[in-house]
Amino acid sequence: MRHILLIGAIFLAFFCLCSESWASDPIGRVILVKGDCRVERPGKESEAVTLDMPVYQKDKFYTKADSNLRIALSDGSVLSLGPNTELSMDSFEYNPQEKKRKASLGVAIGKLRTVVNDLQEFKERDFNVKTPTAIVGVRGTIFLVWVQAPTITEVFCLEKSVFVANIVDPAKAVILEGMQSTKVEEKAPPSPPKKVTSEQIQEIGKDLAPPTPEEKPKEEPKGVEEAPKEVQIPSTLEPSAPQLQTKPLEAPTIPTTLATTLGTTTTTSSTTSTTTSTT
């Protein structure tokens, strides 16, 4: 009996160490910092965000006025935060060997543009963004989420399709196509999709870090788990901002076609999400 208990204790300790190691694995890194940006981690005090800082699950990022932050995730997706934005990395799982990607982010306030890598060969590739009023689901696209207040969220789809529902009633949803938007207010279903112009998108996203050409979706080479080529962020990116820090960006390999059918506007599809800004 003593031997059994000892073996059990050793196994439990090994399991805890493995779990801790897995939980501490970074899920991405910071590739652009401008202005005053901070991060909070469980059990630690907030600290200033620095260039090339690793990003972990449960991290919470805060940007102040006139500040921007950009994060490259390990699946090739890219997140761009505007000023006065709060983003939480609620959960993220990326396993190229098992062809699985599951991501869930939270935006409490502010603007988030997301370029989601459309891993077409993956069996699971859900990507969700939650706000106080909305849930946005995609599998591979470019979109922008703007939380104007705890009771109002606007979602803009720049390419492909985006699923949007009220977080308290996901059954009443809309599907946004490219260059469409919807508004989700507290306890109300999303408003009918409406067309938006590139000028409107440009005005809404003017305070986001400018997108780089490498963020445009492109044909994905065979073997999505292969390391993407390293490219340089153009030197024209905010050249006059003295506090701007940039890092070579690993270009997402995003195909041009959305390999998913999100269902009708009254179904509860299990899709995923992301935000984006204009070029």
Side-chain angles (χ1 to χ4, degrees), residues 9-29:
I10 293 172
F11 176 80
L12 181 60
F14 177 77
F15 176 79
C16 291
L17 286 173
C18 291
S19 299
E20 183 178 348
S21 174
W22 175 84
S24 64
D25 288 341
I27 62 173
R29 65 188 179 95

Side-chain angles (χ1 to χ4, degrees), residues 176-197:
L176 300 181
E177 303 297 337
M179 301 306 292
Q180 288 186 340
S181 71
T182 184
K183 182 180 290 187
V184 186
E185 300 188 60
E186 190 176 28
K187 299 180 181 178
S191 63
K194 69 175 183 179
K195 294 292 291 182
V196 291
T197 65

Side-chain angles (χ1 to χ4, degrees), residues 29-32 69-81 87 89 92 101 105 112-118 127 129 141-143 209-212 214-216 233 249-254 273-277:
R29 65 188 179 95
V30 174
I31 58 173
L32 181 149
L69 180 63
R70 181 174 294 163
I71 296 169
L73 297 176
S74 58
D75 70 329
S77 301
V78 178
L79 313 175
S80 296
L81 287 68
L87 170 70
M89 314 299 294
F92 185 86
R101 189 264 316 275
L105 313 179
L112 174 71
R113 185 187 71 241
T114 308
V115 180
V116 179
N117 197 351
D118 185 7
F127 200 112
V129 172
T141 184
I142 302 177
F143 69 99
T212 65
E214 291 78 20
E215 286 183 335
K216 289 294 290 180
I233 293 178
L249 170 63
E250 296 177 355
T253 52
I254 307 175
S273 148
T274 107
T275 47
T276 151
S277 162

Side-chain angles (χ1 to χ4, degrees), residues 122-141:
F122 277 35
K123 296 178 292 185
E124 297 181 48
R125 57 186 190 275
D126 291 346
F127 200 112
N128 297 315
V129 172
K130 297 178 182 178
T131 79
T133 62
I135 180 167
V136 185
V138 302
R139 293 188 176 180
T141 184

Side-chain angles (χ1 to χ4, degrees), residues 49-259:
V49 177
T50 59
L51 188 64
D52 212 28
M53 172 184 280
V55 175
Y56 300 95
Q57 290 195 66
K58 307 304 180 183
D59 280 357
K60 292 185 178 180
F61 291 94
Y62 302 84
T63 61
K64 300 294 181 66
D66 301 319
S67 301
N68 293 109
L69 180 63
R70 181 174 294 163
I71 296 169
L73 297 176
S74 58
D75 70 329
S77 301
V78 178
L79 313 175
S80 296
L81 287 68
N84 300 310
T85 296
E86 297 181 17
L87 170 70
S88 59
M89 314 299 294
D90 295 337
S91 65
F92 185 86
E93 180 182 359
Y94 175 60
N95 191 321
Q97 288 71 38
E98 295 183 7
K99 305 291 185 184
K100 178 191 291 187
R101 189 264 316 275
K102 294 179 69 177
S104 180
L105 313 179
V107 181
I109 195 72
K111 295 178 184 178
L112 174 71
R113 185 187 71 241
T114 308
V115 180
V116 179
N117 197 351
D118 185 7
L119 307 167
Q120 288 191 347
E121 297 180 5
F122 277 35
K123 296 178 292 185
E124 297 181 48
R125 57 186 190 275
D126 291 346
F127 200 112
N128 297 315
V129 172
K130 297 178 182 178
T131 79
T133 62
I135 180 167
V136 185
V138 302
R139 293 188 176 180
T141 184
I142 302 177
F143 69 99
L144 189 152
V145 171
W146 181 14
V147 183
Q148 302 175 20
T151 57
I152 303 174
T153 298
E154 278 198 84
V155 182
F156 303 84
C157 175
L158 276 68
E159 293 189 3
K160 303 181 182 178
S161 301
V162 173
F163 168 96
V164 185
N166 191 298
I167 198 165
V168 298
D169 190 4
K172 296 177 181 178
V174 298
I175 304 297
L176 300 181
E177 303 297 337
M179 301 306 292
Q180 288 186 340
S181 71
T182 184
K183 182 180 290 187
V184 186
E185 300 188 60
E186 190 176 28
K187 299 180 181 178
S191 63
K194 69 175 183 179
K195 294 292 291 182
V196 291
T197 65
S198 57
E199 290 78 15
Q200 289 173 313
I201 291 292
Q202 184 175 2
E203 178 64 23
I204 292 166
K206 66 182 179 181
D207 54 356
L208 284 160
T212 65
E214 291 78 20
E215 286 183 335
K216 289 294 290 180
K218 54 183 74 174
E219 288 298 328
E220 179 181 289
K222 291 190 180 247
V224 293
E225 63 273 13
E226 296 177 2
K229 295 180 180 179
E230 184 175 88
V231 297
Q232 296 291 327
I233 293 178
S235 59
T236 55
L237 180 62
E238 305 253 352
S240 61
Q243 299 182 60
L244 178 64
Q245 305 174 52
T246 61
K247 189 76 175 177
L249 170 63
E250 296 177 355
T253 52
I254 307 175
T256 55
T257 57
L258 178 65

